[in-house]
Amino acid sequence: MRDEIKRFADLDELSRAVAEDIYNEIKDSIGRKGNFTIALSGGHTPSKLYHILATDYRDLIRWDQVHIFFGDERYVPHTDTQSNFKMTEESLLDLIPIPFKNVHPIATDHPDPEKAAIEYEGELKKMFNGPDSFDVVLLGMGKEGHTASLFPNSPALDEKRRWVLPVNAPVTPSRRITLTYNIFNRSAATFLLVAGEDKCETIGNVILVDADYHTFPIKGIMPTTGRLVWYLDAAAASKIL
Ligand code: 6PG
């Protein structure tokens, strides 16, 4: 199985391990091709990781050769407390010397989210013109198995062509922009970060059972050639390890 499962005592230990693994991926990518591209996850789980990268690793990383994208975004102003960009700004971007041009937020100020999705896809296609996409994709998982803003039974799950779609999520804020499996699954490495007791049931279903991606969208994250690594804390892994 190309998938790897790493288990940690708690979110702090998990975050430190992911930070070290990302740092190694950054060094390797920059050494090989002079840049590193990453799609960040939203939600709460990754904020500790982002802060570790912005502090412990701040002066070790060549931020001028790192490009930061977003796996999804809530369709709210970037100043809104629900914005993934705002969370990332506070925990990472405001603390590191990364050039403005290297940060690629999803615009949320177009009256029509469809326009924002088309624009972002254009930006991604400028960066990725071959068979591969990101060096690293970071993703979380909701307790019902969604990832990014790919929710159960969404039409976005069966999109075969587009890389970015506007969606209506069954949670607030409902309007969102999400990247699709078409670009996620072309990444070189995908790191799935899941922590907390409230996710252990779904982790059990997703990892132990041959669950369907319409029911558990995170199951649709199947990198074509890249690595997939689960980072679980003990609470989330309690049913499987
Ligand atoms: C978002 C995220 C989403 C998140 C999961 C887990 O925009 O909310 O992209 O997919 O990763 O909902 O969220 P928590 O880390 O807050 O549990």
Side-chain angles (χ1 to χ4, degrees), residues 40-46 71-74 82 84 138-144 146-151 171 176-177 193 195 198-199:
L40 297 184
S41 168
H44 299 97
T45 303
D72 72 321
E73 185 55 279
R74 292 84 178 277
Q82 300 174 104
N84 287 335
L138 289 183
L139 287 168
M141 185 189 82
K143 55 177 180 288
E144 91 293 17
H146 84 259
T147 192
S149 284
L150 296 168
F151 285 84
V171 290
R176 299 185 174 213
I177 303 286
L193 282 56
D198 61 337
K199 303 191 180 169

Side-chain angles (χ1 to χ4, degrees), residues 115-156:
K115 192 164 161 45
I118 291 167
E119 184 182 277
Y120 205 62
E121 181 155 333
E123 191 156 352
L124 290 167
K125 289 196 165 165
K126 271 191 251 163
M127 179 61 78
F128 307 120
N129 48 26
D132 304 326
S133 67
F134 302 101
D135 295 306
V136 170
V137 165
L138 289 183
L139 287 168
M141 185 189 82
K143 55 177 180 288
E144 91 293 17
H146 84 259
T147 192
S149 284
L150 296 168
F151 285 84
N153 305 312
S154 163

Side-chain angles (χ1 to χ4, degrees), residues 58-83:
R58 181 188 185 284
D59 300 330
L60 300 174
I61 292 172
R62 294 286 313 273
W63 296 105
D64 60 319
Q65 296 183 321
V66 169
H67 282 265
I68 291 178
F69 293 86
F70 294 80
D72 72 321
E73 185 55 279
R74 292 84 178 277
Y75 212 70
V76 295
H78 287 162
T79 51
D80 188 302
T81 54
Q82 300 174 104
S83 162

Side-chain angles (χ1 to χ4, degrees), residues 155-220:
L157 301 178
D158 290 313
E159 168 61 41
K160 297 299 179 213
R161 189 177 51 80
R162 294 180 63 177
W163 290 5
V164 187
L165 287 174
V167 294
N168 291 313
V171 290
T172 53
S174 173
R175 291 202 313 173
R176 299 185 174 213
I177 303 286
T178 190
L179 272 55
T180 66
Y181 296 137
N182 300 321
I183 183 164
F184 281 140
N185 287 337
R186 296 166 52 160
S187 67
T190 301
F191 295 168
L192 305 176
L193 282 56
V194 185
E197 176 75 37
D198 61 337
K199 303 191 180 169
C200 75
E201 199 71 38
T202 298
I203 284 290
N205 286 324
V206 165
I207 291 185
L208 298 179
V209 177
D210 186 16
D212 178 66
Y213 68 93
H214 293 95
T215 309
F216 300 105
I218 200 164
K219 284 291 280 188

